[in-house]
Amino acid sequence: MKFRRSSRLVDMTNYLLEHPQHLVSLSYFADRYDSAKSSISEDLTIIKQTFEQQGIGTLLTVAGAAGGVRFIPNIGEKEAREFIELLCGQIANPDRLLPGGYLYLTDILGNPKLVNQVGKLFASVYSNRKIDVVMTVATKGIPLAYAVASYLNVPVVIVRRDSKVTEGSTVSINYVSGSTKRIQTMVLAKRSLNEGSNVLIIDDFMKAGGTINGMISILEEFNANVAGIGVLVESEEIEERLVDEYISIVKLTNVDVKEKQINVNQGNYFKFLKSNEVFNIDDIDMEE
């Protein structure tokens, strides 16, 4: 079937958006649309310019017979600030207060649109790093991990509190919870992670960082590398932080149960967004 150019642009754009970080050969698009490679190159240039103008991302082109084009998701600073401001407003709602000063976040973590946007925020920072898998601990961090992984085009690995017969043999460690100082256990299936993997750790909430520190310890058992750490909400009122380098979207500065007041600010996200390397690659002749 011969595509008209308008139809080809729409379908090509949709394909790239659905396959982030995936290297697509020029020949694949040429065969898919029964078009010349020169026409495909022109179309990709238009899509690249539109993606960058709209803050959607960019296209990374790789020359040569084994080359192609890769869509790199990205989010503009203006869009990111607007979203994080919206998120802070929702989290600051006093109706979220639970007994003991805990916050109800299940509705946010269960909202696909919000979670997907958070995933794009993290992917925008880590898109230029070598990430093999995204790791989280069961259960609330799972939606966030999958959202990030979908933009980075990598699998998700879930650390559990106890072993499951369906996961086969496991590796377990004991770690100290940062807030309660209790000894707890983490387990990870041996088949879930290859030795030497570069792992991005994602979690929904961090107090002292004991849970994340536990995940770092279990990665050592696999000789894996921590490629980055991202948390949706971090608590500021902590005497000792067990994790130093991490990216947070929202910072919880104070919870006053008596006055039913929740104070939040943006996290340290923009410090890392600004320092992130932005792909600015000249158009490369992909017909080689």
Side-chain angles (χ1 to χ4, degrees), residues 2-20:
K2 186 72 174 180
F3 280 71
R4 291 183 300 177
R5 187 173 199 183
S6 58
S7 300
R8 193 170 66 221
L9 282 168
V10 171
D11 190 73
M12 195 183 302
T13 299
N14 183 65
Y15 185 92
L16 292 167
L17 290 174
E18 290 185 345
H19 298 81

Side-chain angles (χ1 to χ4, degrees), residues 232-245:
L232 175 61
V233 181
E234 66 162 313
S235 177
E236 186 178 57
E237 294 185 329
I238 294 296
E239 294 182 1
E240 180 184 6
R241 184 81 70 189
L242 301 178
V243 179
D244 294 324
E245 296 187 9

